Amino acid sequence: MLYNFIELPDETILSHSEVLNRNGIERVKVYIETPDEKKLF
């Protein structure tokens, strides 16, 4: 599952995953999406 974190003035969206725990190490995946005139994301 992804959670929106912030939207920047240029409409770039930063999102992050749930906390992933592997072998006692916690991690999250961070996604950056920028608008595209053709695809709209």
Side-chain angles (χ1 to χ4, degrees):
M1 175 144 202
L2 288 178
Y3 302 95
N4 286 345
F5 178 66
I6 192 167
E7 184 172 337
L8 302 177
D10 68 352
E11 297 181 356
T12 298
I13 298 173
L14 282 73
S15 304
H16 64 88
S17 69
E18 296 178 0
V19 175
L20 307 170
N21 189 338
R22 285 194 180 171
N23 301 325
I25 299 172
E26 293 182 340
R27 300 176 183 198
V28 295
K29 292 184 179 182
V30 176
Y31 297 88
I32 301 170
E33 297 180 2
T34 55
D36 183 330
E37 290 181 19
K38 294 179 184 174
K39 297 180 183 176
L40 300 177
F41 269 99

